[in-house]
Amino acid sequence: MNRSNRSWLLERDGTIPLYRQIEQQLRQRISNGEWPVGTRLPSQRKLAEQLGVNRSTITQALDELASWGMVEGNKGGGTRVVNNTWNRLAAATIDWDSYVESGAHQPNLPAIRQINEAEYDSSIIRTGTGEPGPDLLPTEHVRRILADTSDEPFLGYEEPKGSLRLREQIVQYAARQGISCSPESILIVSGALQALQLIAVGLLQRPSCIVAEKPSYIQSVRVFQSAGIGVHAVQMDEHGIQINHLQQQITEHQPGLLYTIPTFHNPTGTILSSERRAELLELSSSLSLPLIEDDVYRELWLDEEPPPPLKSQDRQGNILYVGSLSKMMSPGIRVGWIIAPVPVIDRLADIKMQTDYGSSGLSQYVAARWLADGHQEQHQTWVRQQLRTRRARLLAALEQYFGDIAQWNAPAGGFYIWLSLPTNVNVHRLFTLALREQILIHPGYMYDWQASHHIRLSYSYADMKQLEQSIYRLRQLVKQCMNT
Amino acid sequence: MNRSNRSWLLERDGTIPLYRQIEQQLRQRISNGEWPVGTRLPSQRKLAEQLGVNRSTITQALDELASWGMVEGNKGGGTRVVNNTWNRLAAATIDWDSYVESGAHQPNLPAIRQINEAEYDSSIIRTGTGEPGPDLLPTEHVRRILADTSDEPFLGYEEPKGSLRLREQIVQYAARQGISCSPESILIVSGALQALQLIAVGLLQRPSCIVAEKPSYIQSVRVFQSAGIGVHAVQMDEHGIQINHLQQQITEHQPGLLYTIPTFHNPTGTILSSERRAELLELSSSLSLPLIEDDVYRELWLDEEPPPPLKSQDRQGNILYVGSLSKMMSPGIRVGWIIAPVPVIDRLADIKMQTDYGSSGLSQYVAARWLADGHQEQHQTWVRQQLRTRRARLLAALEQYFGDIAQWNAPAGGFYIWLSLPTNVNVHRLFTLALREQILIHPGYMYDWQASHHIRLSYSYADMKQLEQSIYRLRQLVKQCMNT
Ligand SMILES: Cc1ncc(COP(=O)(O)O)c(C=O)c1O
Ligand SMILES: Cc1ncc(COP(=O)(O)O)c(C=O)c1O
C-alpha cells in the first residue's frame, strides 16, 4: 500500500523470522551511518506502519538491537541510536540535530509535513489536494510528443532565462490573455512556487514585509517568511481583497509588495471583481506598490471567462505576473514563468542560475511542444467539462450532508471549496480522526491560522465516489468533533 | 548567430527602414512596461550586437525615441527611460533598481554573467566550458527511452525525496562505487548545485563559515556566500587538500563543514591521494567535522579508476555525498542527488518541497530508466574514449604553443586543465581581447581571486579543431597581455 515500504526488503514467507530481518536491516542502516549515533528512530507505531508489520515485531527487533548496545529507549518511549559497531567507543559524533535545527530556512508546518507524507500512501483519499488527479493529466498527448523528439536537442543546458523556444510560446500564450511582452521579459522557473522563492530572495530587503490576502496559498506565505520577510494579512470578501483594508495595511506596514491571487483564489475560489481590479491597479500606481499576480488557475474557469489579468492593464511595469503549467497540464513537469520588467527578470535569472542552473531542459522542451501544437486548448476544454461534473457532484454531496451545519461557496472556477464548519468544531481533531480512516483533509489553519473551523475541499484530485463517501463520513466525524 | 535576436523581429529587406522598426519595437517595450520608466537601456554597442545591426542604426532609433520624450541620454553615454505614453505625467513609478539591489541574494560575479551570456552565442568558441559538448550527449539513447513511455505515469508530483524508482536505481549505482545506503537516505535534487544550495540554507546557522579548497568550483562557494556564510580557503598541492593547513583553518575559524571535490577537482583536475583520504576521514571523525563530498566527476576517469569515494568509508554518517548526471549524461536534465544521514535528508527534502515542490518528474523518470537499462555503462566507455583523444590533442596543442611560457597539469580524468601563465599576464585583459575574437576563456580568478594569472581549459565542450586554433591564437594574445 504505502510505497515507501519498498525501501525495506522483507521476505514475508522466508525462513528467517520477520523480526530478525528487520533487526538486520536496522543494524545495517545504523552501521552505514544512515542513522548515525544520536539519531532518534521513527516511533514504533510509525515503523510498524511503514513496514506493514505488527508493532510487537518492531519491539522485538529493537530489543535485539538494544541488547547489542546499538540503541537505547528513553523515557518518552522513543529510541535513539547510541553506538554503532564501527565506533563503539567513538569519541565524538556529529550532532546532526543541531545542524538540522540551526539552518536559516524554516521547517514546514507539521500539518503540511504530515500531508506531504500521507499523500504518498495510495490508499488515502485526498479530499483537499490542489492538483489535477492522474486521470485529468494529458498523459497520452505527452506520450505522443515524446515519441517524436527529432526536431531539436534537449539534453544540454538552456539559456539563463530558459529555453527561447518556450519563451516564444509563452509570449503567444500571454497575448491570448491580453498581456503583451517579449521573450526577454520572461523567466522560466520550476513552477510558480519557485517564482515566489526567487522574488523573496532577489528583490526584497531585510528586514521588510509584504502584504497578502487572508487566507492565502500557504506555501507562498511560507517562502517569504523563510526568507526573513514578514507577511501582513489583508481581509477579503466575496469580491476579493478589500481595498480599504489594503490601504490601511500599506500605511501601517510599508510593505515591499502585495502578493495576490485575483482569479480563482486559493483556498476560497474568489474572483476579484472588475471594479476592484481597477481600484487595485490605481492604488498600485499611485503608491508605487509592486504586485505579484499569481494567476495559476486562470484557465480553469468553468462558467465564463474571468476578467483579464491585472497584468494586461499594467503599462508601468508594476506587476510581476506568475503563471504555471501545473494546474492544467502537469504538476510534475515543474514549468512556470514570470513576466516582469526586464531589469527584474535579469536579476531573477541571475539568481536562478546560481541556485539550480535553470529548469530541466527536457521539461522545457516538452512544455514548448505542448503549447506549440495547440494541445493545450483541446485539453482545457475537456478538463473543464470533467471539472464541471465533479464540482456539481461535490456541491450536491455537501448540500446533502452539510446543508444544515456548514457554509461554502460555489466556485466559478479553480479546484476549491472553502467549507466553513460550526465554530465549535476542532478541526485539528477532525484531521486526526479522518486520517485514521484514510481520509486526508486540508485544515483551514494551513491557509490562515485564524481559520480554525474551515477546511479546503478540492474536486480535482480524488475519485468522485470516494470523495462523496468521504463527505458522508466527514459529516459524522464533524459531529464527533463538536465540543458540545 | 546570437539566438537572442529572435526576440526582435526585424525584416531586413522590408520596406520600413531598420531604425524605424527598432524604434517601434523599443517603444512597444517601453509602453508595455517591460522597460519601465527609470530603466537603463543596454548600451548602444550591446543593442547593436544583439540586433545584428550597425551602431548608427541604434543611435538613430534612440534619437527618435528621445524626440518623443521617452528616453534620455545621460553623461555616461547610457540611456534611460524617462516617460511612457501611458503615464507621461506619472507621479510615481516603482524604482525597480532599488528592489534589484536590495535582495539578499548576491549577484553573480560580472565575469560569470558575461560568460553566461556569451555562451548562448553559437559562434563563440568555448575553451573552458565544464559540460559535455552536444556531440558527447546520449541523445539517441534518450530518444529511444522517450519513444516508449508506457510503463509508468510521469506527469504527477513525486514524493518529497524524489521518485522512489530513481532512488532505488541510485542505491544500486552507489553500491557499485562502494557506498551502501537505502532510498530513505537519498534526496533527488535539480543538479548538484541545488544540493549545495539546500545545505547552505538548511543546515548552517548564521553567522557561520565553512572551509573549501582553493581554488574551488566557484558556484558552490557563491551559494554559501549568498546564504550569508563565510568561506575560508584551504591550500592544495598535487595530492589534493593539505591536511595541515586544513587543521589550522579549522582551529582558527571553527567552520560548520568542509566542502571538498576530492576526485578530479574543479578546476585543477587533482585527485586526493589514498593517504590523504584516510587522513581526512580521521580528521573529520576526531573533530566531528561534516564533509560535503562533491563527486560529480567520478565516472570521468580516463587512465584508471580513482580511489573509492570518501563516503564509502564513512560509517559514522559524517559525509554529505553529492552526485549528478550532469557531467556524464545530460547537464540540462537537472538530476543530482545527496546521500546523507536520514535526519539530514528529511530536513533538506522538507526545504526542497517548500522552494520548488521537487524536481521535474519527467527528468526523474528518464533518469531512472537511463540508469535501469544500463545505458550509462556503455555510454561511459564511449565518452571516456572520446575524452582521451581530446585530452591528448589539447595537451599536444599546449606543448606546441605554451611549452615555453606556461605550466599545466595532465589530468587523469574530468574535463579540466589548469593553465598557469606567466605572472605578469593580465588575465582580465586576455579575457576581453579573446572575446573580441569570439574566443571565450574562463579566467582563473573566477575560482580563486588570487589566481590572477591562471585560466581553466576544458576538453569536453569545444570542437577540437577550433580549440586547437584558439590555443594558437591565445598564445599570441598572451604575449600581447604581458606587461613588458
Ligand atoms: C496560488 C498558487 N500559486 C502557486 C502554486 C504552485 O504552483 P506550481 O506547481 O507551479 O509551483 C499553487 C499550487 O498549489 C497555488 O495554489
Ligand atoms: C564540482 C562541481 N560540482 C557541481 C557542479 C554542478 O553540477 P550540476 O549540473 O549537477 O548542478 C559542477 C558543475 O560545473 C561542478 O564542477
Side-chain angles (χ1 to χ4, degrees), chain A residues 348-457:
Chain A
L348 300 179
D350 181 48
I351 300 176
K352 179 149 168 69
M353 283 302 274
Q354 288 184 67
T355 53
D356 67 8
Y357 266 159
S359 298
S360 161
L362 186 57
S363 285
Q364 294 187 61
Y365 169 82
V366 171
R369 293 260 319 260
W370 167 260
L371 292 173
D373 298 357
H375 289 311
Q376 174 99 353
E377 302 275 329
Q378 185 187 343
H379 179 65
Q380 274 165 8
T381 309
W382 178 78
V383 168
R384 284 189 197 115
Q385 244 171 324
Q386 300 297 312
L387 288 178
R388 270 181 217 118
T389 315
R390 294 180 184 209
R391 177 184 62 175
R393 285 178 69 173
L394 179 53
L395 286 171
L398 285 173
E399 201 58 66
Q400 184 169 2
Y401 300 118
F402 280 87
D404 55 340
I405 50 171
Q407 280 92 48
W408 59 89
N409 57 311
F415 296 153
Y416 307 120
I417 292 179
W418 185 237
L419 190 68
S420 169
L421 298 168
T423 50
N424 59 349
V425 170
N426 178 335
V427 169
H428 187 66
R429 193 158 151 243
L430 183 64
F431 176 81
T432 310
L433 291 182
L435 197 54
R436 278 197 207 141
E437 307 195 7
Q438 312 278 79
I439 299 172
L440 181 65
I441 64 168
H442 281 223
Y445 53 74
M446 283 172 49
Y447 307 92
D448 165 12
W449 61 271
Q450 289 179 322
S452 56
H453 57 283
H454 291 77
I455 62 177
R456 182 185 87 174
L457 294 171

Side-chain angles (χ1 to χ4, degrees), chain B residues 392-413:
Chain B
R393 285 179 68 172
L394 179 54
L395 286 172
L398 285 173
E399 201 59 62
Q400 184 170 1
Y401 301 117
F402 280 86
D404 55 338
I405 50 169
Q407 278 92 49
W408 61 87
N409 58 311

Side-chain angles (χ1 to χ4, degrees), chain B residues 5 10 18 45 51 62 93 115 119 161 167 190 222 258 296 301 304 321 326 328 354 359 401 472:
Chain B
N5 66 18
L10 302 183
L18 272 182
R45 192 182 49 72
L51 276 71
L62 291 177
T93 46
I115 288 178
E119 285 183 343
K161 292 185 185 178
R167 287 183 289 135
S190 302
R222 202 81 191 147
L258 164 66
V296 303
W301 55 266
E304 56 180 353
Y321 180 86
S326 285
M328 195 42 118
Q354 288 184 66
S359 298
Y401 301 117
Y472 165 74

Side-chain angles (χ1 to χ4, degrees), chain B residues 284-465:
Chain B
S284 158
S285 179
S286 65
L287 300 182
S288 295
L289 181 75
L291 309 187
I292 301 176
E293 179 177 20
D294 183 337
D295 209 22
V296 303
Y297 294 103
R298 162 158 302 276
E299 299 288 2
L300 290 160
W301 55 266
L302 300 181
D303 300 327
E304 56 180 353
E305 280 200 49
L310 293 164
K311 182 70 182 167
S312 67
Q313 314 292 319
D314 170 33
R315 306 296 172 180
Q316 291 177 283
N318 288 5
I319 297 184
L320 315 175
Y321 180 86
V322 176
S324 169
L325 291 183
S326 285
K327 303 299 172 184
M328 195 42 118
M329 184 227 176
S330 160
I333 201 171
R334 308 308 301 135
V335 169
W337 52 91
I338 315 179
I339 305 178
V342 173
V344 171
I345 292 296
D346 285 346
R347 163 75 169 149
L348 299 179
D350 181 49
I351 301 175
K352 179 152 168 66
M353 285 301 276
Q354 288 184 66
T355 52
D356 67 7
Y357 266 158
S359 298
S360 160
L362 186 57
S363 285
Q364 294 187 62
Y365 168 82
V366 171
R369 292 259 321 258
W370 167 260
L371 292 172
D373 300 357
H375 290 311
Q376 174 99 352
E377 303 274 330
Q378 188 187 340
H379 179 66
Q380 274 165 8
T381 309
W382 178 77
V383 168
R384 284 189 198 115
Q385 243 171 325
Q386 301 296 312
L387 287 178
R388 271 182 217 118
T389 314
R390 294 179 185 211
R391 177 183 61 174
R393 285 179 68 172
L394 179 54
L395 286 172
L398 285 173
E399 201 59 62
Q400 184 170 1
Y401 301 117
F402 280 86
D404 55 338
I405 50 169
Q407 278 92 49
W408 61 87
N409 58 311
F415 295 152
Y416 306 120
I417 293 180
W418 185 237
L419 190 68
S420 169
L421 297 168
T423 49
N424 61 346
V425 171
N426 179 334
V427 168
H428 187 66
R429 196 161 149 240
L430 183 65
F431 175 82
T432 310
L433 291 183
L435 197 55
R436 278 198 207 142
E437 308 195 6
Q438 311 278 79
I439 299 173
L440 181 65
I441 63 167
H442 280 225
Y445 54 74
M446 283 171 50
Y447 307 92
D448 166 11
W449 59 272
Q450 290 179 320
S452 57
H453 58 284
H454 292 76
I455 64 177
R456 182 184 88 174
L457 294 171
S458 162
Y459 44 86
S460 69
Y461 192 88
D463 170 81
M464 280 315 294
K465 272 234 182 69

Side-chain angles (χ1 to χ4, degrees), chain B residues 463-478:
Chain B
D463 170 81
M464 280 315 294
K465 272 234 182 69
Q466 291 189 327
L467 189 57
E468 284 163 340
Q469 281 159 5
S470 305
I471 297 296
Y472 165 74
R473 200 50 207 132
L474 280 174
R475 178 199 170 82
Q476 297 168 320
L477 296 175
V478 162

Side-chain angles (χ1 to χ4, degrees), chain A residues 34 99 105 120 158 185 256 330, chain B residues 34 99 120 155 158 185 256:
Chain A
E34 293 183 81
Y99 277 85
H105 210 286
Y120 291 93
E158 289 295 342
S185 49
S330 159
Chain B
E34 294 182 81
Y99 278 85
Y120 292 93
L155 292 178
E158 289 295 339
S185 48

Side-chain angles (χ1 to χ4, degrees), chain B residues 73-97:
Chain B
N74 64 22
K75 294 161 231 149
T79 311
R80 258 184 193 277
V81 179
V82 290
N83 237 322
N84 79 30
T85 42
W86 301 88
N87 56 332
R88 230 171 214 290
L89 297 171
T93 46
I94 292 172
D95 178 8
W96 283 117
D97 279 353

